[in-house]
Amino acid sequence: MLTSVRAASALLAGVLAAGLAVIDAGPAHAADPTTMTSGFYTDPDNSALRWARVNPGDGRAAAIRTSIADTPAARWFGNWSGDIGTATGAYAGRADSYDKLPILVAYNIPDRDICAGHSGGGAGSRAAYDTWIAAFASGIGSRPAVVVLEPDALGHESCMTAGQIAERNAMLKNAIAQFKAKAPHTWVYLDAGNPGWIDAPTMARQLAAAGVSGAHGFALNVSNYVTTDQNTSYGNAVNSALASYGYTKPFVIDTSRNGNGSDGQWCNPAGRRIGTPSRRGGGAEMLLWIKVPGESDGNCGVGAGSSAGQFLPEVAYKMIYGY
């Protein structure tokens, strides 16, 4: 990371010394964190790995460790994370010490999961959230990172009043501004649902209202199962609609559980399969494992009796093989 920063500084100094014009390339957050690192970071405390460590004699453990636990995926941060600045700082700092790029999810907006309720909660007020997200960004600081901002926050507008939507948009705009100011080497992707949820022109309008113009891009299929091809087509359609606002944006796709595509259900459906591991390209700017396969969507489907985020080894094992 330091080598890249020094090289960029030396190049800028050379340009200025030569008397050449410098074109404003935008704010510092435009720096590419993928070029500052040597690949994606694997969370050393992910739920699949914790289970495999505790159950080494289980016949499913080897497959879960190899196919899920050792694959780079996101860590989610919310009101369970303790002091958030300390938590994100420690996580980004550990990744940086290995020259790897961490994927973090900010999931603490007030009235979180307001429609479904399986992951309900979030900060208690707008002021509390503003403080929380500022500390989240400060914790990352100048280290390279990728942040997925508030899954479902826009997709759940149908369950909100106009006043709630306006307040949520203000919080999201402020969050994006905090990352710009405090985490200059972080790419922020505002969540934009999935192709089976909201039509592309409507999502483009919602993204624009929530300030996606200031973010690096938008995220698709978080915690869902829709194929990469379908998400790519949807992302391109969203961008076609965003063009009417004067810009387009890169997008990322959550491929952690989309290997068999979707059967139309979102909450622990049977017969799903893990997808392409985290990588650059693949129809989007990046394909990322944002949801850890095997973590429950809530008390529903093949996860009946579980709570959202709980690791279910049998679900994980079947997802490796697609049954």
Side-chain angles (χ1 to χ4, degrees):
M1 173 180 167
L2 291 176
T3 300
S4 298
V5 173
R6 288 167 181 156
S9 298
L11 177 60
L12 178 59
V15 169
L16 293 174
L20 300 177
V22 178
I23 299 173
D24 182 10
H29 78 285
D32 183 347
T34 68
T35 64
M36 302 169 69
T37 49
S38 61
F40 294 102
Y41 183 54
T42 300
D43 182 355
D45 192 38
N46 68 69
S47 57
L49 188 56
R50 287 200 305 271
W51 178 86
R53 286 171 177 161
V54 174
N55 299 278
D58 190 295
R60 302 164 295 185
I64 288 174
R65 178 185 283 271
T66 300
S67 298
I68 296 177
D70 292 339
T71 300
R75 177 182 287 191
W76 293 52
F77 294 83
N79 47 2
W80 59 85
S81 301
D83 182 88
I84 190 60
T86 300
T88 58
Y91 193 67
R94 183 176 173 86
D96 193 41
S97 72
Y98 288 99
D99 194 34
K100 297 297 183 182
L101 180 61
I103 308 161
L104 302 87
V105 179
Y107 195 51
N108 197 38
I109 200 114
D111 295 320
R112 185 181 64 213
D113 198 22
I114 190 171
C115 289
H118 290 292
S119 300
S125 66
R126 175 177 174 179
Y129 182 74
D130 288 348
T131 298
W132 185 87
I133 202 68
F136 189 119
S138 293
I140 296 173
S142 62
R143 304 178 185 98
V146 166
V147 170
V148 176
L149 184 60
E150 297 300 341
D152 302 337
L154 300 184
H156 283 175
E157 286 190 4
S158 62
C159 298
M160 301 167 67
T161 66
Q164 287 175 315
I165 292 170
E167 183 173 54
R168 176 163 288 188
N169 284 342
M171 285 186 279
L172 293 171
K173 287 179 179 177
N174 174 67
I176 292 166
Q178 293 299 318
F179 284 104
K180 278 187 178 181
K182 297 178 170 67
H185 300 138
T186 293
W187 276 356
V188 175
Y189 297 89
L190 181 57
D191 186 72
N194 65 74
W197 197 353
I198 296 170
D199 65 87
T202 300
M203 179 50 68
R205 175 181 57 77
Q206 293 180 190
L207 283 167
V212 77
S213 61
H216 181 75
F218 56 92
L220 299 176
N221 204 48
V222 174
S223 299
N224 215 286
Y225 304 87
V226 184
T227 67
T228 300
D229 286 347
Q230 289 173 290
N231 275 286
T232 300
S233 296
Y234 180 69
N236 290 335
V238 170
N239 266 328
S240 293
L242 277 177
S244 65
Y245 297 91
Y247 55 87
T248 60
K249 289 289 179 179
F251 58 89
V252 297
I253 299 169
D254 185 354
T255 55
S256 60
R257 308 190 295 180
N258 74 347
N260 278 350
S262 172
D263 65 354
Q265 302 300 311
W266 67 267
C267 200
N268 295 322
R272 300 312 96 201
R273 191 167 192 164
I274 61 175
T276 304
S278 299
R279 55 162 287 193
R280 291 213 62 169
E285 184 165 50
M286 291 184 280
L287 306 180
L288 302 175
W289 277 27
I290 299 174
K291 174 80 168 182
V292 175
E295 287 188 350
S296 175
D297 296 317
N299 181 15
C300 51
V302 295
S306 67
S307 56
Q310 180 181 344
F311 185 74
L312 305 173
E314 187 63 15
V315 171
Y317 185 73
K318 289 180 177 178
M319 201 170 285
I320 294 168
Y321 301 102
Y323 61 87

